[in-house]
Amino acid sequence: MKTLNQVKNIIDLEPISLEIEDLDFLRDLAQKHNIQYFNARFTKGKATQIALLKGITKSANTGIGKGFSIMTFKDGGYGFAAGQAFSKDAIEDTFVQSANLAKWSSQFSREKYSIHPTSSLKDAFTISPKKPIYNIDPDEKVNLLLEIEKEAYFDPKIVSTNVNYSDNEYEQLIFNNFNRFVRIKNSGIFFILQAIAKDAHRQEGYHISRGGNGGYEILEGARGTGRESAENSLELLHSKPAPQGVHDLIMDHHLTGTFIHEAFGHAAEADSVIAGESILANKLNSPVGNELVSIIDDGTLEKEFGFIPYDDEGTPSQKTSIVDKGILVNYLHSLETASKMDVKPTGNGRAAGFSVIPQVRMTNTYLKPGDSSLDEMISEMQKGVLGIGWKYGYTDPITGDFTFKLSKAYLIENGEKTQVLRDAAISGVTLEVLQRISLISNKFTQDTGYCGKGGQSIPVGSGGPHTWIKDMVFGGQ
């Protein structure tokens, strides 16, 4: 059985050697098969996953992946096929399979439209980490994770911890018949740590996630996460049940980001709008919140987890204003949805890997900061709740109904935090809540995580400032 260090020596991959001249024949194939649009994606990657439980390495896996896919379009119908070998014969066979599927599916398309051409573009992006991930021995990663996890055990009431870590390094090549040729080399890290505290009366847990695009420096910068998670768990041992009823709420940046991403952001994805599954359908250029509300999706933020230099259709990422001072000004678009709505794509056609089709997805989505400080907001609140983070939730983009369970909260009385709270849950209707925002803080933070949609999970950022919402509905135990 090989050790992780032995495995490291066999996982190196050669760069993708394909160039434009190697793929130009696809345009000839497209003409031959009457294909109006195609998008070919080639990927090679390496990944490591490590899981720890109570100071013991539960599992550690390192592996490689390689493959490509070709999506084709004709008269409203799509075809999609994937392969593995990067030879001309394999690529041609895969193209023909995809083209035949596009022709077949076009027979059943109720809507005939075309994909609007984009300009010719050739570019390459390579991230420059301070410490490339695969220059680091896997055993060194395990040892640092164990060190971070061990930080939690400064108090005997901490009875358990668990850590899940993943990293990846990949190269992607994108080529389409609009003469777009993009090469991307990127790497990133994500991990989540939970500490569980127990006393004679209660058991409480608290998790913290860290991540970003770059190298090993991301994990090195996460020292202190174990202790932070443990301190929150220990504090919750002294908590009281959250009050039920209607109360003013100050959301922290984690909770603000979750609300903006889950309750609003998915409704701004144009495929949902077109499908009639969004509260934002037919609301473009109309008020969806009060004038304090401005919402951005920005894939160009290189240090954030949702950063992409280009989406999986070769469209450059951009900073997209979704809501400007309460007015809905843009949806998020792929090439398909932009073509259907006769607008420019926004660089939000994203896929979880080469073997699945791009969907309209967010990147880094956030509420813009305001003018208040958190201290000012708390001092002005006579009675209410400061909500911290979230555990899980539910949203319905069709109706706007949402429910979120908070990680923890504080009771605020007469301008001061007086009691830590547990089991707080908030619910409401998205567009009504956006009208009840009364103050927004001037400090802004992004969070890291993975977002699921249509069976695909991709890295995203979400965040914002502290946000005061009037008359939020609370439930408890």
Side-chain angles (χ1 to χ4, degrees):
M1 182 176 179
K2 293 182 175 66
T3 67
L4 279 173
N5 281 328
Q6 289 173 324
V7 172
K8 176 181 181 293
N9 294 326
I10 66 172
I11 66 170
D12 291 329
L13 290 174
E14 293 295 323
I16 298 175
S17 59
L18 296 170
E19 299 292 343
I20 287 181
E21 53 268 25
D22 300 313
L23 298 173
D24 264 340
F25 75 95
L26 291 177
R27 284 194 281 221
D28 296 331
L29 280 175
Q31 290 183 344
K32 178 181 177 181
H33 290 271
N34 295 315
I35 293 300
Q36 298 157 350
Y37 164 76
F38 72 80
N39 186 50
R41 293 179 287 135
F42 301 82
T43 302
K44 287 184 177 181
K46 324 169 193 178
T48 297
Q49 294 180 326
I50 300 169
L52 309 179
L53 178 64
K54 299 176 70 171
I56 298 173
T57 305
K58 189 177 178 182
S59 64
N61 306 291
T62 298
I64 61 174
K66 170 187 174 182
F68 72 97
S69 63
I70 300 176
M71 184 168 69
T72 54
F73 173 86
K74 176 181 171 60
D75 295 333
Y78 280 94
F80 184 85
Q84 190 168 34
F86 290 177
S87 67
K88 182 177 180 180
D89 287 346
I91 295 170
E92 181 172 349
D93 287 346
T94 302
F95 185 97
V96 172
Q97 292 177 42
S98 180
N100 288 336
L101 288 169
K103 294 174 190 177
W104 177 80
S105 64
S106 68
Q107 303 174 69
F108 309 100
S109 175
R110 296 180 179 179
E111 183 180 5
K112 303 299 181 183
Y113 62 97
S114 61
I115 301 298
H116 292 183
T118 55
S119 59
S120 175
L121 182 149
K122 182 179 180 180
D123 194 17
F125 171 86
T126 300
I127 200 166
S128 300
K130 295 178 182 178
K131 294 186 176 182
I133 293 170
Y134 284 92
N135 287 353
I136 308 298
D137 288 336
D139 288 342
E140 182 176 339
K141 299 175 189 178
V142 171
N143 289 335
L144 180 51
L145 287 168
L146 288 168
E147 175 189 324
I148 293 172
E149 184 188 32
K150 188 177 180 180
E151 298 167 352
Y153 290 96
F154 67 90
D155 189 296
K157 293 187 181 69
I158 299 299
V159 296
S160 183
T161 51
N162 60 79
V163 177
N164 286 283
Y165 166 93
S166 63
D167 64 39
N168 69 89
E169 182 179 64
Y170 68 91
E171 179 181 5
Q172 181 181 32
L173 189 153
I174 303 167
F175 177 70
N176 67 28
N177 59 314
F178 300 145
N179 203 29
R180 292 226 159 174
F181 185 87
V182 175
R183 192 183 301 273
I184 301 167
K185 295 181 180 179
N186 202 356
S187 60
I189 283 175
F190 179 79
F191 90 103
I192 186 166
L193 184 151
Q194 181 182 50
I196 298 173
K198 185 177 181 180
D199 61 14
H201 307 287
R202 300 196 54 76
Q203 179 171 296
E204 295 288 346
Y206 197 92
H207 74 271
I208 295 174
S209 61
R210 297 281 187 264
N213 293 282
Y216 190 61
E217 67 275 4
I218 297 170
L219 186 59
E220 290 182 320
R223 288 185 172 95
T225 303
R227 185 178 185 92
E228 183 181 352
S229 178
E231 288 173 344
N232 279 280
S233 297
L234 291 166
E235 185 182 24
L236 282 167
L237 291 178
H238 305 288
S239 63
K240 292 183 178 180
Q244 299 185 28
V246 177
H247 306 280
D248 281 11
L249 168 68
I250 298 175
M251 300 192 296
D252 79 334
H253 65 272
H254 294 288
L255 187 54
T256 295
T258 298
F259 170 71
I260 293 300
H261 176 99
E262 296 289 351
F264 184 87
H266 282 296
E269 294 167 338
D271 52 351
S272 296
V273 175
I274 291 170
E277 299 175 350
S278 169
I279 53 172
L280 301 180
N282 302 314
K283 286 186 169 59
L284 203 60
N285 300 317
S286 299
V288 293
N290 65 36
E291 62 181 12
L292 295 176
V293 178
S294 292
I295 299 172
I296 304 293
D297 184 82
D298 192 349
T300 69
L301 301 173
E302 189 169 332
K303 293 184 179 180
E304 303 300 342
F305 202 46
F307 164 72
I308 51 170
Y310 291 86
D311 72 5
D312 289 285
E313 299 175 322
T315 303
S317 64
Q318 66 179 50
K319 181 179 181 179
T320 302
S321 176
I322 304 173
V323 178
D324 183 28
K325 297 180 180 179
I327 305 299
L328 180 67
V329 293
N330 284 298
Y331 298 123
L332 301 179
H333 287 284
S334 64
L335 284 176
E336 178 188 8
T337 63
S339 298
K340 286 183 174 181
M341 300 183 77
D342 196 25
V343 296
K344 293 182 179 180
T346 57
N348 292 93
R350 304 184 62 191
F354 72 87
S355 61
V356 290
I357 63 172
Q359 302 172 315
V360 183
R361 307 298 299 272
M362 287 171 275
T363 56
N364 301 297
T365 314
Y366 58 90
L367 179 69
K368 287 183 67 174
D371 300 322
S372 303
S373 72
L374 176 59
D375 288 342
E376 290 170 345
M377 294 165 73
I378 291 175
S379 65
E380 289 185 27
M381 183 173 279
Q382 291 303 301
K383 187 172 183 180
V385 175
L386 172 63
I388 308 295
W390 75 300
K391 291 183 176 181
Y392 54 84
Y394 161 82
T395 63
D396 186 339
I398 300 175
T399 65
D401 293 331
F402 69 86
T403 298
F404 297 127
K405 181 73 174 288
L406 278 56
S407 297
K408 71 174 183 177
Y410 295 96
L411 183 65
I412 298 176
E413 297 175 296
N414 300 317
E416 294 184 354
K417 293 192 295 184
T418 59
Q419 174 65 50
V420 62
L421 305 172
R422 65 178 182 271
D423 297 325
I426 59 173
S427 61
V429 179
T430 303
L431 299 187
E432 294 177 3
V433 169
L434 290 176
Q435 294 287 355
R436 299 203 304 272
I437 292 177
S438 62
L439 288 174
I440 298 176
S441 77
N442 52 19
K443 290 188 177 180
F444 162 85
T445 305
Q446 280 268 9
D447 204 0
T448 60
Y450 279 86
C451 173
K453 174 180 173 179
Q456 299 186 38
S457 182
I458 60 169
V460 296
S462 62
H466 285 80
T467 307
W468 185 334
I469 299 173
K470 293 284 189 180
D471 300 329
M472 180 64 76
V473 177
F474 278 79
Q477 288 180 314

